[in-house]
Amino acid sequence: MEDYSLPKDSLFLGFDSSTQSCKATVLDSNLNIVTSDVVHFDSELSHYKTKDGVHRDPSGDGRIVSPTLMWIEALELLLEKLSKSGLDFGKIVAVSGSGQQHGSVYWKKGSLAKLGKLDASKSLKDQLNDAFSTNESPVWMDSSTTAQCREIENAVGGALELSRLTGSRGYERFTGPQIRKIFQTQPDVYADTERISLVSSFMACLLTGSYASIDETDGAGMNLMDIEERVWSKIVLEATAPGLEEKLGNLAPAHAVAGLVAPYFVEKYHFDKNCVVVQWSGDNPNSLAGLTLNTPGDLAISLGTSDTVFGIASEPRPRLEGHVFPNPVDPKSYMVMLCYKNGSLTREDIRNKYAEQSWDTFNNYLEKTSPLNGGKLGFYYKDHEILPPLPVGFHRYVLDNFAGDSIEGLKEHEAEEFDGASEVRAVIEGQFLSMRAHSERFGMPNPPKRIIATGGASANQSILKSIAAIFGCDIYTVQRPDSASLGAALRAAHGWLCNNKGKFVPISCMYENKLEKTALSCKLLMPAGDPQLLPKYTLLMKKRTEIEDRLVQKLGRQ
């Protein structure tokens, strides 16, 4: 029987360059956590003057960017922290990482040479200060490219055809429309760009000292890759910008090795010169890996700055809503995903306005209000929402005499505001009724066998209790809410193993029969709840969907 064990005493480092922070997790050869650390952008790199890790354009046109150099400085600061904690970098045999999806970086002509001769006596930031044709990176929160989305869709035969080709219709945050906007509005920037990276491949470039490929899984979040062939789609490239393929470079499988760690890191932090850098991928694919999601009946819900729900499928069946990506740890399957921009920051907004700026008060309100909220429904969009495609705004409705038995002839009226406790329940029920409705429409399991919850808010048991009741299934959680950097460390080990064997190896080989003894084990945190409540939530969901559809017809960004 083939031996799939990892070398004894070896370490595997995973990063997560996310919206608001840069995190690191280190696993040992038994896949247990050795150490972890984090750099928060707003507080620890406050000279960039970000709020929630980004800069919002004051004109209100939906343009949202992050300073590219901030991500470089965060990586350096995080490595310094790990070094001070006593981490022996020489034992790390593989590094990988996770990057917030859809963010893009524009390398100026001549920058490959700069990357190739980094001096360990100087900081990365100082050496790469002028390496970019623009120092502003559009990120996933940006919603300013509606015109470009429609142009690309129209050029290939419509939204459904673009989805069939690339796994998603045109979405404002996707990199293709972002590149097209830069080509149209900043032609000098586009002309001076020799390579375009995603946040994930950008960070891999820093670690290898050369241009790293975009991996196939994160590449699927660009509206540019042929989802079935896993190559750039010529027809979409031509519809986006001229000469684009050369600027993107080749795609690579997520388990492939991008290169050896650059001499800069060997000299400065004493990495072993044979340490491999495994392709970085997006944060949601890394979460899927970190949650060991491998059963089609399971769903994962990530509760972070954005909320996402994802599962796995054997065949890509793209639709007008949601996304299909290659599975980062299984070349033969796909991950399906829905994304909601109004996640934790919107919950926090309601907490600040109606619950005394306290999560304890927020949770007390949630516990003391009854499920179904007496027919009070809320739609809370602090930012332009992705799903449904609605602008900033708050909409409240009361269903008259709703008892959960029928919606026949049920009338609703608009409300200006609810009492504080009802606002709290309305935001939670609203978010997860919407998530359930869209996931069922996308063909995800109903009800799921189980939900694995991750992300910051997965530590909140009051919120999990509502999710369990709305979806009608048990909720499991992993040891740590940060599954993206954990998944990145696991993918570093997996990539090392595939490279060592000279072939693709199923990731489960590393933890088969010992999952409970690793940092990847899941535990039941919240049982499904009252089964009599589920059909009532189903009716409430149907009514909410009717109102949502009307709002989209009236206000939606088509």
Side-chain angles (χ1 to χ4, degrees):
M1 195 169 147
E2 201 162 355
D3 179 19
Y4 293 114
S5 56
L6 299 166
K8 206 169 163 43
D9 288 337
S10 60
L11 299 177
F12 301 90
L13 171 58
F15 290 103
D16 175 30
S17 182
S18 67
T19 314
Q20 301 188 60
S21 62
C22 190
K23 308 180 190 79
T25 297
V26 180
L27 292 176
D28 63 18
S29 55
N30 294 315
L31 305 181
N32 284 310
I33 294 169
V34 174
T35 189
S36 61
D37 220 319
V38 62
V39 171
H40 295 283
F41 300 151
D42 289 4
S43 55
E44 295 180 77
L45 297 170
S46 57
H47 47 284
Y48 290 101
K49 297 183 167 56
T50 55
K51 169 86 169 62
D52 306 320
V54 299
H55 291 147
R56 296 166 191 265
D57 195 311
S59 70
D61 70 348
R63 182 174 172 274
I64 299 180
V65 298
S66 287
T68 311
L69 292 169
M70 179 177 75
W71 296 332
I72 297 178
E73 198 171 343
L75 177 66
E76 293 191 274
L77 184 53
L78 190 51
L79 286 166
E80 292 296 337
K81 283 187 174 191
L82 289 169
S83 182
K84 284 176 185 162
S85 74
L87 176 64
D88 184 351
F89 287 97
K91 288 186 174 179
I92 296 169
V93 298
V95 185
S96 190
S98 151
Q100 58 166 298
Q101 290 194 260
H102 318 299
S104 46
V105 173
Y106 300 81
W107 295 94
K108 190 195 292 185
K109 285 179 177 169
S111 295
L112 181 59
K114 284 195 176 82
L115 266 176
K117 51 175 196 246
L118 294 168
D119 180 345
S121 68
K122 298 172 184 168
S123 76
L124 280 178
K125 185 194 143 204
D126 287 349
Q127 294 178 82
L128 297 173
N129 191 39
D130 59 350
F132 308 103
S133 46
T134 171
N135 280 325
E136 292 184 326
S137 285
V139 295
W140 66 271
M141 296 170 80
D142 186 289
S143 59
S144 68
T145 60
T146 307
Q148 288 77 19
C149 289
R150 298 300 87 84
E151 287 164 5
I152 295 169
E153 286 176 348
N154 293 338
V156 303
L160 192 57
E161 182 60 17
L162 184 63
S163 182
R164 194 190 65 72
L165 267 171
T166 69
S168 304
R169 68 173 297 169
Y171 280 93
E172 282 88 349
R173 68 192 190 283
F174 273 41
T175 325
Q178 293 288 349
I179 291 169
R180 181 162 178 77
K181 184 183 174 192
I182 283 179
F183 163 67
Q184 289 175 331
T185 62
Q186 298 173 272
D188 293 351
V189 167
Y190 186 77
D192 196 26
T193 298
E194 75 178 10
R195 177 61 76 105
I196 299 171
S197 295
L198 296 181
V199 178
S200 54
S201 61
F202 163 66
M203 299 296 276
C205 294
L206 300 178
L207 288 169
T208 58
S210 61
Y211 287 152
S213 294
I214 290 171
D215 90 287
E216 293 164 356
T217 309
D218 211 6
M222 299 173 75
N223 280 139
L224 293 173
M225 187 186 87
D226 183 315
I227 191 71
E228 297 212 32
E229 299 298 325
R230 305 189 185 193
V231 294
W232 300 121
S233 166
K234 304 279 188 205
I235 183 172
V236 190
L237 291 180
E238 283 171 21
T240 302
L244 182 52
E245 188 164 8
E246 194 184 343
K247 294 180 194 287
L248 293 172
N250 294 326
L251 287 153
H255 63 271
V257 167
L260 296 176
V261 73
Y264 178 89
F265 299 95
V266 175
E267 287 179 44
K268 190 160 189 173
Y269 300 102
H270 310 298
F271 275 87
D272 186 290
K273 68 180 191 314
N274 296 312
C275 172
V276 294
V277 179
V278 175
Q279 288 288 156
W280 283 47
S281 192
D283 47 8
N284 293 298
N286 276 285
S287 286
L288 180 136
L291 298 172
T292 64
L293 199 69
N294 52 24
T295 309
D298 289 348
L299 277 189
I301 290 180
S302 175
L303 305 169
T305 311
S306 65
D307 287 343
T308 52
V309 54
F310 48 90
I312 57 175
S314 52
E315 296 289 331
R317 291 195 184 119
R319 295 167 50 94
L320 279 178
E321 61 183 32
H323 316 291
V324 178
F325 300 147
N327 184 332
V329 290
D330 176 10
K332 292 192 175 127
S333 70
Y334 294 83
M335 66 179 285
V336 289
M337 188 179 93
L338 302 170
C339 187
Y340 302 84
K341 195 183 287 189
N342 288 274
S344 289
L345 297 180
T346 301
R347 289 187 283 273
E348 205 171 287
D349 205 42
I350 297 300
R351 179 204 70 171
N352 292 345
K353 280 184 189 163
Y354 300 103
E356 302 167 357
Q357 302 185 9
S358 155
W359 284 118
D360 286 340
T361 305
F362 185 97
N363 294 339
N364 286 338
Y365 282 172
L366 197 50
E367 296 288 348
K368 82 177 192 184
T369 47
S370 58
L372 311 173
N373 209 13
K376 298 187 190 81
L377 285 172
F379 297 76
Y380 300 89
Y381 306 121
K382 177 181 161 68
D383 283 299
H384 286 284
E385 188 48 274
I386 298 158
L387 198 61
L390 285 169
V392 173
F394 297 84
H395 314 278
R396 298 171 180 86
Y397 299 87
V398 179
L399 307 182
D400 299 330
N401 307 314
F402 178 68
D405 305 320
S406 169
I407 53 171
E408 288 300 314
L410 195 64
K411 297 275 194 295
E412 79 271 353
H413 64 266
E414 284 196 61
E416 192 64 37
E417 206 169 23
F418 301 142
D419 62 276
S422 296
E423 292 281 359
V424 165
R425 181 161 281 279
V427 72
I428 295 301
E429 289 190 339
Q431 287 181 327
F432 297 106
L433 283 168
S434 176
M435 190 179 281
R436 183 185 151 194
H438 288 284
S439 66
E440 287 179 14
R441 209 146 73 178
F442 197 61
M444 292 183 185
N446 165 37
K449 285 183 185 168
R450 63 173 180 165
I451 285 173
I452 305 173
T454 181
S458 66
N460 186 318
Q461 297 213 10
S462 301
I463 292 176
L464 294 188
K465 192 172 176 184
S466 286
I467 299 173
I470 287 166
F471 278 85
C473 69
D474 296 342
I475 309 278
Y476 286 74
T477 58
V478 282
Q479 283 185 22
R480 323 161 28 114
D482 172 36
S483 56
S485 69
L486 176 64
L490 180 66
R491 285 186 49 257
H494 182 231
W496 181 90
L497 190 61
C498 293
N499 188 54
N500 183 256
K501 297 288 181 188
K503 63 179 182 181
F504 177 79
V505 174
I507 195 167
S508 56
C509 292
M510 298 195 306
Y511 49 72
E512 225 159 22
N513 306 321
K514 60 174 188 179
L515 195 58
E516 294 309 310
K517 296 178 182 169
T518 72
L520 308 161
S521 61
C522 287
K523 64 174 183 178
L524 175 65
L525 199 69
M526 193 61 62
D530 181 358
Q532 294 180 330
L533 203 49
L534 185 60
K536 296 183 177 187
Y537 268 126
T538 302
L539 288 175
L540 191 62
M541 176 184 80
K542 285 179 179 167
K543 190 64 188 175
R544 183 192 158 83
T545 303
E546 282 176 25
I547 298 171
E548 182 184 283
D549 289 345
R550 288 205 305 270
L551 284 171
V552 170
Q553 283 171 7
K554 182 180 167 190
L555 307 168
R557 303 187 322 284
Q558 300 303 327

